[in-house]
Structure formats: C-alpha cells, structure tokens
Amino acid sequence: MHTAKDIINELHKPTEEERKLITKAFSYTESAHEGHKRYSGEPYINHPAAVAYKLAAMGMTPVTICAGLLHDTIEDTPITSDDIRNEFGEEILFLVEGVTKLSSVRYYGTDRHNESLRKLFVATSQDIRVLIIKLTDRLHNMETLHHVPEEKQTRIARETLEIYVPVAHRLGMGKIRKELEDLAFPFVYPEDAKRVEELLKEHFPNAEEILEKERKVLQKKLVDAGLTEFKTSFRVKGKCSLYHKFKRKEWNPDRIYDLLAMRVIVSSVEDCYRTLGAAHDLWRPLPKRIKDYIAFPKPNGYQSIHTTVTTKNGTILEIQIRTTKMHQAAEFGVASHILYKPPTVTGTHRPSVLSALIPNLFLPSNKQTSSDSKHDIHELANTPPHKKIPRWISEIGNTYNQESDNSTSEFVADAESDFFSNRIFVFTPTGDVIDMPVGATPVDFAYAIHSEIGDHTASAKVNQKMSPLDTELKNGDMIEIETKKSANPSPKWLRFAKTSLARKHIKLATEDTL
Ligand code: MN
C-alpha cells in the first residue's frame, strides 16, 4: 500500500506546490473511491496509489502522477469531468479523460484485433503521457490478476498480450513490455508456460545463484581494471521471450545463449569498451557473438555492446554493456524524453540527452526543449491539449523494438511478426485511419478507400500539399485524393504501387493498353 508520502518521496526535489498537488489528488481520489473494494478485498485506493507510485518511480512529472491517481475516478465514481477541471485544471483533466477513453478498447479475438490496436494507437497518440498512464494501469492490474475471477483472467491477459505488449514494444518501452508479457503469458498459454518452466528447472536449476556468484567475479575484475563508476545487474530471460526462442531453436536448451545475462552500466562510451576488454580478459568469448551496437546502432537507435562468454564454471553468459543514457533509452523508449527526474542508475546523466540518440523524436507540440529538466505545472496547465496528431507519431517507427536482449536474428524475427513494424497509419481528411504497408503511396491509399476512387485518381494532396502520386507516405500523413471522371490508371503506377489491391486494379484497368 503506497501513501501520498511514498509517492512524494519518489519525486526529484519536489517543490512545496508539487507536494501539495500530490497530497490533494491522493485524498481526493481516496474519498472518491471510498467504500470501493478491489477483487482482492483491499480498498480501491491501493490501485490508483500503486499506479501513481510506479509513475513517480519511473520519473514522470507531478502532473502525470496526479492524472495517474485520478485515472479511474471519472469512470468508476460520481466524479465528473467538470469536477476534475475545477479542482485540477484542464491539463490533468485531458490526461484523465484520455485514459478513460482507452478503457473502451477491448480485445475480442482476431477479427477485431487490428481494429482495437489501431484505435488504441491513434487515441493515445494525442499525448504520450496518456499511453504511459494506461500501460502502468495495466501493469498493476496484471500484477494483481490472480485476484480477478478466473473467467475474466484469460481475456484480460490476452488483451495485454495482443494490444498492450505490442504498443509498449512499438514505443520502445522495453521494461514495461517485458513485465506485461511475462505476467500475461502463463494466463494465456498455461501449457507452454509450464513447459518452459520445466525446461528451465531441468537445465538451469539454480540460475539466479550462479548469476549472483558470477556477478561478484565480474565486479572484482572491473574494479581491478580501474573502473570506478559502474552498476551491474543480471537477469534470467523472461519466460515469454524464452518460449518464442525455444520454439525457434527446436526446444534445445543448448542452442540458447542469452538465457542468462549480465548487464553492466557505465558512465561513458570509453568505459563500455574498457568493460568489454576486462570481461574478455576474464572469460573466454564465444566466436561471432560480439555485437557492437554502439558503433553500429540498431535501426531503432538501440545502443549497447553484447558479447557471450563462457565463465570458468562453464556457464554461458551474455554480457550487455551500455551507458546510462543508452540504458534509459532501452528501458523507457519514447517515455525517456519526458522523464522529469534524472535516472537513478548512476545519477549523473540526464535522459534529455537522448534526443541526440533518436533525433526529432519528441516534438515541438509539447513546447519541450531538450534542456528542460522538468515541467512547470502552471505553464503546462495553460497549454491546450494538442488536437493535432503530433509529429512524434510519424517518427515512432524509428524507436521500434528498443529491446535490450535481442540478437540480430531475433530482431528480424520480431520485426516480421510485429504487426506495427511494417505498417503505417495515415488519415483521410475526415480523420479516418487507414493502415498501409510501409512504402505505400497516394495511389495505394486511393484504392484502399475505394476502387472507384483509385481508378479515377487525378492528383493527391499529402498534408494539404500537392504531391506526386508516387510519394512515399509516412506515419500520420493526411491524404486527400482528387478524382476526375476522365482520369484513368496509368501502367506507370505499377512501378510504385505497393499493395496487392492497388496493383490488381491497375493491371485490370490498363490491360488493354499494355
Ligand atoms: Mn485503473
């Protein structure tokens, strides 16, 4: 059970006003949910309090944390939007309403799957903070899912895997993605989860113990090598990603090299290479397993050095080496741009430097410059919620799969299976969302709307500018097609049309002329 004080303690140098705001939102929420109980029998306030606490620990701003406290009030209590506006202002209301709207996104099976995903994506794209609150809300609900009646568990867990996990993945939020995935997996695939667990038990009975021992060995080596500022951690690969890997490796545990991983976080790129040198001096590296994603970042901007070694005890271990800011980017993805407190890893680096890593990611609509260390509540309270699709949505493809422990082949496999990775979302002038493959053009768009429109496309406007018909569309573009009765498809369109639908129609219409 988290108190207002616990939440405030997570803030970075909170002002008196910020403390008051949190305290007020906490007691407001507490009385709003008075008498409500969760399935576990606990008072309801424990849920928003836990969500707010997680947001605070993640480094979100007091405004976002307040919205986290209030996130269920409009939906579940007599509190109205007007009440929230009067008590907490327009901005907090905007966030709470955004989260409330998202609760209508439900997963009902494959038919509506993509539709829900899209809705979620578009609805949240108005403000990344709404999405972060929603993901955090879901995380706490998943942590307490065992209290929920059994008949509901599977649906909620499946929805988590089908909607929330891909969204977190897409936004590069590796940490929350993984937590959600591992919590949901056993509920949706109990048999597979059991199989993975048994294999783990059989082949790696005391993984944690081994890792703890090897960590000490590595730490000593790093100190001997003259490294002073570093942080080490370790992990056993998550059950869900392990399951996918097992499937690819014919369930042969000997073919899995990254089951156990050690992470070293240092303060400079130079220290990354020194760490690599020390690790290789200590343990024998496996050939062809060294990946320098610092010199050669993954397409999504992910940076880290990976190497796989065999320790003196014969344990195969993947070592990931990165700086604090690279770590921050891998764990929090787009969220790292709006974090309010410095990362607690070594406490010296500011997440805002990340903009150098993934350029143009967080964009001007929020009036945030890379040198901002925190939001000014009042200034933000006066900022009208942006109605336009912010440009970050169009840049989001770059952050895809900012995950830490993927080998290149896995990255490719993931990219192929990930619904979002090969899709873009574009808009009609009336705001309808059309999803298209990457590389689609206005001609593809026209045919996606209707074959008649495609067949009579004369010209196109992309974001209100006249654009050639072979323009490559980008995420978030708004497209207007101008049709003329006299216009007909040209065989030249086949050179750039991407979708099979468009190609089929163009071929049909131009067959005579070919
Ligand atoms: Mn909730």
Side-chain angles (χ1 to χ4, degrees):
M1 155 89 215
H2 299 284
T3 62
K5 219 175 177 180
D6 295 335
I7 297 167
I8 291 166
N9 281 341
E10 286 296 319
L11 297 180
H12 178 64
K13 295 184 191 157
T15 64
E16 199 42 48
E17 243 169 308
E18 288 169 341
R19 291 168 188 272
K20 275 189 192 149
L21 181 67
I22 302 279
T23 313
K24 179 180 165 188
F26 194 98
S27 48
Y28 190 87
T29 304
E30 194 169 26
S31 51
H33 290 290
E34 179 90 73
H36 292 188
K37 292 246 188 303
R38 303 201 85 215
Y39 282 116
S40 60
E42 295 168 85
Y44 197 86
I45 178 67
N46 288 7
H47 167 62
V51 171
Y53 180 81
K54 284 175 189 295
L55 290 167
M58 199 193 280
M60 300 307 292
T61 67
V63 162
T64 311
I65 295 165
C66 276
L69 279 168
L70 296 162
H71 82 268
D72 278 328
T73 53
I74 294 183
E75 197 175 12
D76 297 346
T77 77
I79 302 281
T80 64
S81 296
D82 285 338
D83 296 335
I84 304 254
R85 184 187 294 112
N86 292 338
E87 293 294 327
F88 298 98
E90 204 63 59
E91 190 187 14
I92 289 178
L93 172 65
F94 170 73
L95 295 176
V96 174
E97 280 190 326
V99 176
T100 307
K101 267 186 225 147
L102 280 189
S103 19
S104 61
V105 177
R106 287 246 195 282
Y107 175 75
Y108 290 107
T110 40
D111 282 334
R112 297 191 46 188
H113 168 196
N114 290 353
E115 184 58 29
S116 299
L117 275 170
R118 242 174 293 157
K119 274 191 197 145
L120 181 78
F121 193 64
V122 174
T124 52
S125 63
Q126 296 199 10
D127 195 307
I128 183 76
R129 293 171 296 173
V130 170
L131 182 51
I132 293 165
I133 297 167
K134 192 66 196 174
L135 286 169
T136 309
D137 172 39
R138 179 50 62 109
L139 179 59
H140 185 248
N141 285 335
M142 289 305 300
E143 284 169 354
T144 50
L145 192 64
H146 53 280
H147 293 299
V148 171
E150 249 174 70
E151 67 274 13
K152 284 189 172 186
Q153 286 174 348
T154 320
R155 182 193 60 81
I156 296 171
R158 190 173 285 276
E159 187 179 271
T160 302
L161 280 187
E162 303 293 344
I163 297 180
Y164 291 80
V165 167
V167 167
H169 189 47
R170 170 73 165 168
L171 295 175
M173 300 178 68
K175 186 171 154 53
I176 202 162
R177 190 210 93 173
K178 200 167 175 177
E179 286 170 343
L180 286 172
E181 190 174 72
D182 283 331
L183 286 164
F185 178 61
F187 286 98
V188 183
Y189 302 105
E191 297 295 316
D192 295 323
K194 222 170 133 195
R195 190 169 175 195
V196 168
E197 202 145 320
E198 276 162 9
L199 249 145
L200 269 177
K201 230 186 253 164
E202 190 187 337
H203 292 271
F204 309 94
N206 33 25
E208 303 261 331
E209 225 173 281
I210 292 170
L211 280 164
E212 187 52 64
K213 262 188 206 151
E214 301 293 19
R215 165 155 80 160
K216 290 199 180 105
V217 176
L218 180 64
Q219 280 173 331
K220 184 174 180 305
K221 177 73 189 178
L222 294 180
V223 171
D224 289 347
L227 283 139
T228 50
E229 241 185 272
F230 63 84
K231 196 181 152 93
T232 56
S233 60
F234 58 77
R235 66 114 182 89
V236 179
K237 197 174 181 66
K239 293 206 174 72
C240 187
S241 61
L242 191 55
Y243 165 70
H244 290 297
K245 194 135 203 183
F246 267 134
K247 274 210 309 203
R248 284 202 292 278
K249 308 280 179 182
E250 284 112 32
W251 294 83
N252 180 353
D254 295 335
R255 290 182 58 203
I256 294 182
Y257 296 119
D258 63 345
L259 179 86
L260 307 181
M262 196 89 77
R263 190 173 284 157
V264 185
I265 295 162
V266 295
S267 52
S268 69
V269 169
E270 199 194 334
D271 281 357
C272 290
Y273 291 106
R274 285 172 68 197
T275 303
L276 179 71
H280 282 182
D281 188 36
L282 175 66
W283 294 320
R284 186 176 160 72
L286 262 65
K288 292 184 188 161
R289 299 282 310 177
I290 305 160
K291 291 164 210 153
D292 187 348
Y293 297 122
I294 292 181
F296 306 101
K298 283 189 183 181
N300 55 32
Y302 173 76
Q303 288 191 297
S304 202
I305 297 171
H306 293 188
T307 181
T308 307
V309 298
T310 315
T311 71
K312 298 207 164 76
N313 301 315
T315 306
I316 291 180
L317 203 62
E318 180 175 278
I319 304 181
Q320 304 170 353
I321 306 159
R322 55 176 83 143
T323 66
T324 310
K325 65 178 183 183
M326 291 169 193
H327 182 60
Q328 197 80 4
E331 296 271 283
F332 299 110
V334 292
S336 43
H337 297 267
I338 53 169
L339 295 185
Y340 151 96
K341 67 174 184 184
T344 42
V345 193
T346 61
T348 46
H349 289 268
R350 294 259 316 278
S352 54
V353 200
L354 280 174
S355 40
L357 244 177
I358 314 161
N360 301 328
L361 193 73
F362 197 71
L363 295 141
S365 51
N366 253 24
K367 289 187 179 167
Q368 192 165 4
T369 65
S370 59
S371 60
D372 276 353
S373 64
K374 62 179 203 135
H375 287 286
D376 179 317
I377 293 177
H378 294 286
E379 191 197 303
L380 274 180
N382 296 328
T383 308
H386 17 283
K387 289 270 181 276
K388 292 254 168 183
I389 301 298
R391 255 185 67 208
W392 69 262
I393 188 179
S394 64
E395 305 289 339
I396 245 165
N398 301 336
T399 68
Y400 165 71
N401 188 29
Q402 208 131 60
E403 212 220 353
S404 44
D405 44 16
N406 268 357
S407 69
T408 313
S409 60
E410 259 193 302
F411 170 64
V412 173
D414 281 351
E416 278 165 0
S417 64
D418 187 66
F419 166 72
F420 284 128
S421 64
N422 303 312
R423 310 298 291 181
I424 56 168
F425 299 87
V426 296
F427 298 85
T428 68
T430 51
D432 285 334
V433 186
I434 311 287
D435 71 303
M436 312 232 67
V438 167
T441 64
V443 166
D444 294 297
F445 175 84
Y447 279 106
I449 304 283
H450 199 280
S451 59
E452 276 296 301
I453 295 183
D455 280 344
H456 296 286
T457 297
S459 61
K461 280 184 184 169
V462 177
N463 302 324
Q464 284 151 8
K465 263 177 56 190
M466 285 297 287
S467 304
L469 290 179
D470 64 351
T471 305
E472 196 168 301
L473 300 178
K474 291 193 301 298
N475 231 346
D477 279 349
M478 200 261 274
I479 297 107
E480 232 170 309
I481 299 290
E482 237 179 46
T483 54
K484 276 197 192 126
K485 268 231 160 85
S486 58
N488 285 308
S490 153
K492 281 184 204 154
W493 291 1
L494 288 172
R495 284 187 215 148
F496 52 79
K498 200 88 182 171
T499 58
S500 50
L501 180 78
R503 300 186 66 83
K504 190 181 87 190
H505 282 288
I506 299 165
K507 276 182 194 156
L508 266 174
T510 57
E511 243 162 24
D512 305 336
T513 56
L514 277 175

